Amino acid sequence: MLQGGEPRRLTTQTEHFEFQPSFSRDGRSIVYTTFADEALGAIRVVPADGAEGRVLTTEPGHYADPVFTPDGQEVVYEKGTGGGIVSPLWSNDPGIYRVPIAGGKPVKITTRGTDPHFGKDGERLFLLAVAEEKERDRRALISVDRHGGDERTHLVSHWATQFRVAPDGRSVAFIERFQVYVAPLVAAGREIEI
């Protein structure tokens, strides 16, 4: 909350829970996930001024971590699976997807990684991934091109639990053992252990 300001709700519905809001880089729109036990989840966009929002996803599902591309023309998100205490319905074909902000059919980018985000431009999508199958406790900051190809491993760590590339692409923040650190993001051509 800004100093002296009062919080104001941007949405008015009461049918589902709302999670994981993320602003567009121009600050004009917010993308977020919703979930209700019977209806399951959706990806929604609302103008930051609180005008009427809309649903971007074309089917119910288990969605997480939506973000706008830097140009604001698409939204990238994770589609997961249900089961356990939530419905297993609509759990087919999990992975990372992108969908045009104007609406349309979602396109699968990759099945590898979580926590999608962007650096300076929309050409590389950054993800948190298991570094190697045989070393499941090592986490890596990887990136792929907008179609899911040209995978690169940038950073690996035994203790980091989250990475976030800065909007200018020159540094990375990471959480390690309940502490937050910032380091330069160097284009080394090989993975760097942090």
Side-chain angles (χ1 to χ4, degrees):
M1 177 170 80
L2 295 175
Q3 187 176 17
E6 288 294 321
R8 173 177 64 90
R9 185 168 179 186
L10 298 177
T11 59
T12 58
Q13 65 74 37
T14 57
E15 296 84 41
H16 48 257
F17 294 102
E18 299 167 329
F19 304 98
Q20 302 176 313
S22 179
F23 274 92
S24 60
R25 289 208 179 164
D26 65 9
R28 294 182 181 168
S29 300
I30 300 169
V31 62
Y32 61 101
T33 62
T34 61
F35 192 82
D37 287 337
E38 290 185 22
L40 298 182
I43 301 290
R44 296 173 184 256
V45 174
V46 64
D49 65 7
E52 187 68 28
R54 59 194 169 82
V55 177
L56 285 184
T57 46
T58 57
E59 59 186 37
H62 305 274
Y63 301 110
D65 299 320
V67 293
F68 287 97
T69 55
D71 64 7
Q73 298 302 305
E74 293 180 304
V75 167
V76 174
Y77 59 89
E78 181 180 349
K79 179 182 177 193
T81 60
I85 63 170
V86 296
S87 172
L89 299 175
W90 297 97
S91 294
N92 294 338
D93 213 14
I96 305 296
Y97 287 78
R98 63 183 159 87
V99 65
I101 196 71
K105 184 175 177 169
V107 174
K108 189 174 191 177
I109 300 171
T110 183
T111 57
R112 184 156 147 77
T114 61
D115 194 20
H117 64 283
F118 292 92
K120 185 174 182 178
D121 58 47
E123 296 305 312
R124 302 240 22 115
L125 173 65
F126 290 92
L127 301 156
L128 174 67
V130 172
E132 296 176 26
E133 194 60 37
K134 62 186 174 204
E135 294 186 72
R136 297 193 63 77
D137 62 337
R138 287 179 76 215
R139 297 288 180 256
L141 174 68
I142 66 168
S143 69
V144 294
D145 65 27
R146 59 179 280 106
H147 305 290
D150 190 26
E151 183 179 311
R152 300 175 191 170
T153 301
H154 302 277
L155 303 172
V156 293
S157 172
H158 281 283
W159 306 111
T161 57
Q162 188 173 7
F163 296 97
R164 184 66 55 170
V165 176
D168 65 6
R170 295 174 20 191
S171 58
V172 61
F174 60 97
I175 298 173
E176 181 180 286
R177 295 184 179 188
F178 306 104
Q179 302 291 318
V180 178
Y181 300 91
V182 176
L185 183 60
V186 180
R190 63 176 178 82
E191 67 182 45
I192 297 173
E193 180 96 26
I194 58 169

